[in-house]
Amino acid sequence: MTFDQSAKRASVNTVSACASQPNSTSIRLSMLAGVSALVIAMSMGSHSVYAAEAEMEADFAAEDIEEISVTATRGPSDIFSFPGSVSVVSRDEIESRITASISEIFAQTPGIQFTGGPRRTGEIPALRGVSGEGVLVLFDGVRQNFLSGHDGRFFIEPDLLRAAEVVRGPGSALYGSSALGGVIAFETVNASDLLEEDAQFGFRLKAGFQGLNDEWMTGATLFGTTESGKTGGLANFTFRDSSDINVARGDNLQGDDEIASGMVKVNSQITDALSVDASWLRFNNNALEPNNGQGISTGDLVRKDIESETWRARVNYNPESNLVDLGIIGYMNNSRVDEAELDTPREISRQVDTVGFVIDNRSTFSLGGDSSVIFTYGAEYYKDEQIGLDNTTADGTRGGVPDATSETFGAFIQADIGIDTEVGTFRIIPAIRYDDFDNSSDQNPDLSAGDNATSPKIGVSYAPTDWLLFYGNYSEAFRAPSFNEIFADNLHFTIPLGPFVQAPNFFVPNLDLRPESAQAFEFGAGLTFENVAFDGDQLVIKGSYFENDVRNLIDLEVNVEFSPSCFAPVPGVCTSGTSRNVNTARAQLDGIEIEAQYSSDYLFLSAAYSTIDGRDKDTGDFVGVLVPNRLQLVTEVKMPEQDFRIGARAEIAGQFDKINDPAEARPSYEVIDTYMVWQPSEGSLKGWRFDVGMNNIFNANAVRTFAGVPGPNRNLRATVSWTSSF
């Protein structure tokens, strides 16, 4: 289910919220100054998303605001001129935030929300109001298709990441189903990211602590290359151990976690044109928490065991030819969640196994002068198999988690056209993809459902000067119904009618489910300047307005109808009706996103502002994962001579009133974090890095999920790492 604000489904698609603890007047005045600065920036250019800080290891000189994405066009692409909304978070940014969960990586990124509360297993992403199966998640190009209402989606250690990207807006033209709201993509580190120049082998040791949940983290990484430098590898192991989570109001949340994760990567440049690499990624989380990890309940605890393993191999062939830049990725992903109830003998599990491959090629043609076109084309196949188990049912199957298989084949083509004229530079990117998908029930071969979809998109940007940009795009996208939605069966819930009478309600399959579909457009503008106040500094502003019209929304329909046997001694079985997934309403989602960044040798500033609204076009009710208007600010002072940086981050959210039930209303909030980074570039401490920070220093109760779930408490964090190469 992609959209729903009902209390019944709030655990899956919760609305990021707000509540606050009053802070001092001086702090509020500082925040108002930041808002005023952003308003001035908005008057200079409309809105989108931009974010790609240059990666800084020990280099504290002026950092360029990089403009490269590898996800937006399935190849290296300039972000600023891209006619859409893309954000890239660098490895240095991830480290300086001392991230312990994926949601913290995107804390300063507009247009992305995480529902579910402070627990890792509750983190469900939403892009521009779309969540669940409508958001595609990639690890090194590998689809992460496991999705469960209360078990999270990000089975990866943040310390393994070299970059994180968010492409907001429908992405089905290149990525097919699940990209209705956009794409979240992660790249893991390589040996070359850690090796010093002219070194062959090295290691990295890291340890950290955060007070929010008394979490300790330890990690070790070994990396190296052959003498020729053509073959390299990396191996990592990281362990985290945490206890209950402190929240700003109320009792602590039960959230004991033991997380062990690891990665092994190897790569080889076989010839000048041919390279191969392979990786193994494993994540294991043993948690003690409620079955619904997104709530605040401390009862009905379960021992939850999450295991995820991804095998991946890639071949790249890039000879001295403009026609061939061929990439092939093959992968296998296995994810499983086992839950054992502490107060009963019940044990349940969900396992999803995915196998697939992606093949694409890029061909470049000159159009004369500085104009050219890059064609990207290819195909994708993936297959998901799910098994649900419950030791309390007669046949061992789990209600709502059918044993089922899904297969998808897609083919796509895109042209990235750059035209340089006397009146400015144009970039035109048309793309189209065809997908064919089939779902079948493993328990009942007679049950099957299939469909197909075509997803076109076109984006155009125009730069009349080298500092000004206008752009717009139109796209169509879809989200195929999942096998959970099509084949849902067995028990949903029971209604007690007396001490000896229980009336069960059962899931029933719906083979006529149609895909959710969307028609979206976006337009915006951007500004980029160099040498604004000092030599070598840079200012980038990009913003947009978007609108997404989503149809055939899939929602759960519950029909409560008691059979006569529940009330009279007549033949038959007492039941309370059925539940099934159906296509329901139409929704319109729209909003504004703005991002601005300034960087110089001694100062880094960023501001991001976002709004979103969602309405059922038939009833006028609010729909989607909606959040209050938000402003995110970062100020960082750099002292390159001392290899030192200090900064502060602020998140300011307005009152949340986009609700259908007054009980869901939440007041505004302001959250301020501070951080400090010291990374000596010479002397006996060269190779060491020290990060210290305090999140939510004024202990504001920032409720970002739904009413009644308090936000995290004040949180002291620190990490220290030692990297050495020889």
Side-chain angles (χ1 to χ4, degrees):
M1 176 179 139
T2 305
F3 299 94
D4 192 2
Q5 284 189 302
S6 66
K8 184 182 300 180
R9 304 290 288 183
S11 61
V12 180
N13 295 318
T14 48
V15 178
S16 292
C18 48
S20 72
Q21 176 75 2
N23 295 323
S24 69
T25 303
S26 61
I27 293 172
R28 293 183 181 275
L29 289 176
S30 299
M31 292 176 175
L32 290 174
V35 175
S36 300
L38 184 63
V39 171
I40 294 172
M42 291 173 60
S43 68
M44 298 172 64
S46 190
H47 163 89
S48 160
V49 225
Y50 184 80
E53 231 179 298
E55 196 168 319
M56 311 182 311
E57 283 301 316
D59 182 9
F60 283 78
E63 59 183 281
D64 291 331
I65 302 175
E66 293 185 358
E67 302 180 355
I68 302 300
S69 164
V70 296
T71 305
T73 61
R74 281 190 174 270
S77 174
D78 169 69
I79 287 179
F80 182 74
S81 66
F82 176 73
S85 299
V86 186
S87 292
V88 179
V89 184
S90 70
R91 184 162 66 92
D92 178 76
E93 245 184 310
I94 295 172
E95 286 194 282
S96 66
R97 290 175 184 171
I98 318 178
T99 52
S101 63
I102 295 300
S103 63
E104 294 166 343
I105 294 175
F106 302 108
Q108 306 302 130
T109 305
I112 179 171
Q113 303 85 32
F114 286 84
T115 65
R119 293 188 182 96
R120 291 183 182 90
T121 52
E123 291 190 330
I124 303 296
L127 293 178
R128 291 185 172 177
V130 179
S131 68
E133 292 93 341
V135 176
L136 176 62
V137 177
L138 301 173
F139 294 172
D140 287 330
V142 175
R143 284 178 178 261
Q144 304 297 306
N145 287 350
F146 180 91
L147 193 142
S148 177
H150 315 304
D151 299 322
R153 295 194 66 183
F154 300 107
F155 305 144
I156 194 169
E157 165 58 43
D159 196 48
L160 292 177
L161 302 177
R162 71 185 303 268
E165 291 192 34
V166 179
V167 181
R168 292 185 295 283
S172 292
L174 287 180
Y175 293 97
S177 182
S178 297
L180 194 72
V183 181
I184 302 175
F186 301 95
E187 290 183 67
T188 56
V189 294
N190 300 311
S192 58
D193 297 319
L194 302 174
L195 270 174
E196 292 183 359
E197 188 176 357
D198 299 327
Q200 193 170 345
F201 299 102
F203 64 86
R204 185 190 195 208
L205 304 176
K206 187 171 184 178
F209 172 80
Q210 66 170 0
L212 179 72
N213 54 353
D214 292 330
E215 177 172 290
W216 290 93
M217 183 272 281
T218 55
T221 307
L222 299 176
F223 46 89
T225 65
T226 59
E227 187 174 355
S228 66
K230 292 186 176 182
T231 300
L234 175 150
N236 169 273
F237 176 79
T238 302
F239 180 75
R240 293 180 183 268
D241 186 9
S242 63
S243 58
D244 294 353
I245 301 171
N246 295 320
V247 294
R249 302 290 181 273
D251 298 330
N252 293 346
L253 294 184
Q254 182 79 37
D256 294 342
D257 275 332
E258 290 184 354
I259 299 176
S261 60
M263 181 177 70
V264 176
K265 295 182 76 172
V266 294
N267 61 277
S268 181
Q269 189 74 39
I270 298 176
T271 69
D272 290 342
L274 180 64
S275 64
V276 297
D277 64 84
S279 63
W280 169 76
L281 187 67
R282 182 172 176 82
F283 180 92
N284 180 251
N285 182 5
N286 293 310
L288 181 64
E289 62 186 32
N291 170 266
N292 178 3
Q294 299 175 322
I296 62 173
S297 171
T298 58
D300 301 325
L301 296 180
V302 301
R303 175 62 66 183
K304 188 176 294 186
D305 186 11
I306 300 174
E307 295 184 5
S308 181
E309 195 170 43
T310 300
W311 298 85
R312 168 188 171 275
R314 181 181 65 176
V315 177
N316 182 252
Y317 181 63
N318 187 8
E320 295 182 2
S321 169
N322 290 332
L323 300 180
V324 180
D325 183 4
L326 178 67
I328 303 174
I329 296 177
Y331 60 88
M332 177 175 64
N333 175 257
N334 310 115
S335 297
R336 179 186 177 108
V337 176
D338 297 310
E339 298 178 26
E341 297 180 0
L342 299 186
D343 298 330
T344 74
R346 188 186 186 206
E347 296 182 3
I348 59 176
S349 71
R350 179 198 300 263
Q351 179 173 331
V352 176
D353 299 331
T354 303
V355 295
F357 71 85
V358 181
I359 178 171
D360 59 24
N361 186 60
R362 279 156 294 282
S363 300
T364 303
F365 298 90
S366 174
L367 300 178
D370 293 329
S371 302
S372 64
V373 57
I374 302 174
F375 287 102
T376 301
Y377 47 93
E380 179 179 18
Y381 168 84
Y382 57 95
K383 177 180 180 181
D384 295 323
E385 292 186 272
Q386 176 175 270
I387 298 174
L389 300 176
D390 186 338
N391 67 347
T392 63
T393 62
D395 58 359
T397 60
R398 180 178 172 184
V401 185
D403 295 350
T405 300
S406 173
E407 290 187 87
T408 300
F409 172 80
F412 56 88
I413 184 170
Q414 170 191 265
D416 191 343
I417 308 167
I419 302 175
D420 193 16
T421 71
E422 293 182 356
V423 295
T425 301
F426 293 86
R427 188 176 182 187
I428 306 170
I429 309 180
I432 191 169
R433 172 166 169 147
Y434 172 82
D435 283 272
D436 186 271
F437 46 92
D438 292 286
N439 293 274
S440 59
S441 171
D442 295 351
Q443 290 177 279
N444 190 341
D446 294 333
L447 296 181
S448 62
D451 209 337
N452 58 73
T454 301
S455 307
K457 181 176 183 176
I458 185 168
V460 179
S461 66
Y462 168 57
T465 70
D466 58 1
W467 55 267
L468 177 62
L469 179 80
F470 300 99
Y471 71 92
N473 67 67
Y474 170 82
S475 59
E476 296 181 11
F478 78 101
R479 199 272 288 178
S482 69
F483 39 46
N484 292 321
E485 294 165 327
I486 296 173
F487 302 119
D489 59 4
N490 285 324
L491 180 67
H492 184 197
F493 58 84
T494 60
I495 299 177
L497 298 178
F500 305 106
V501 180
Q502 298 285 328
N505 182 285
F506 291 95
F507 286 111
V508 294
N510 183 359
L511 304 184
D512 296 323
L513 270 182
R514 297 285 298 164
E516 293 182 344
S517 61
Q519 292 180 323
F521 68 84
E522 177 180 0
F523 60 86
L527 296 164
T528 179
F529 301 100
E530 295 181 353
N531 303 319
V532 180
F534 306 97
D535 290 342
D537 66 359
Q538 186 178 14
L539 172 66
V540 176
I541 304 170
K542 197 177 179 187
S544 69
Y545 168 81
F546 65 88
E547 187 173 303
N548 193 357
D549 186 358
V550 186
R551 293 159 293 173
N552 292 324
L553 299 179
I554 298 174
D555 201 354
L556 185 64
E557 178 185 74
V558 179
N559 296 309
V560 178
E561 183 177 348
F562 296 100
S563 63
S565 301
C566 296
F567 306 102
V570 297
V573 178
C574 174
T575 62
S576 61
T578 60
S579 302
R580 66 170 186 164
N581 290 287
V582 297
N583 294 110
T584 57
R586 301 179 299 157
Q588 179 175 301
L589 298 164
D590 59 78
I592 293 174
E593 297 168 354
I594 302 174
E595 208 161 5
Q597 293 186 352
Y598 170 82
S599 180
S600 71
D601 287 348
Y602 299 97
L603 184 64
F604 175 79
L605 303 171
S606 76
Y609 175 77
S610 59
T611 70
I612 186 169
D613 192 11
R615 297 277 187 168
D616 186 314
K617 297 185 72 171
D618 297 320
T619 67
D621 290 342
F622 288 102
V623 295
V625 180
L626 306 182
V627 294
N629 299 345
R630 296 188 300 172
L631 172 65
Q632 292 131 321
L633 303 170
V634 177
T635 300
E636 180 181 292
V637 177
K638 298 180 282 186
M639 293 168 253
E641 292 81 4
Q642 289 77 34
D643 302 319
F644 182 80
R645 289 179 284 155
I646 186 169
R649 306 182 184 95
E651 179 183 359
I652 307 166
Q655 181 179 2
F656 182 68
D657 55 5
K658 304 165 188 176
I659 54 176
N660 301 315
D661 182 354
E664 297 175 353
R666 294 172 288 272
S668 59
Y669 67 83
E670 304 93 17
V671 174
I672 297 179
D673 308 332
T674 60
Y675 65 96
M676 180 178 65
V677 181
W678 182 38
Q679 190 173 3
S681 59
E682 58 185 15
S684 59
L685 290 180
K686 181 181 179 181
W688 288 80
R689 174 169 174 147
F690 304 88
D691 291 85
V692 179
M694 176 76 78
N695 286 13
N696 193 12
I697 61 176
F698 295 103
N699 201 26
N701 183 24
V703 181
R704 297 183 178 92
T705 53
F706 51 91
V709 179
N713 205 335
R714 182 183 297 110
N715 186 18
L716 174 64
R717 298 179 163 194
T719 61
V720 57
S721 64
W722 177 31
T723 305
S724 181
S725 301
F726 48 90

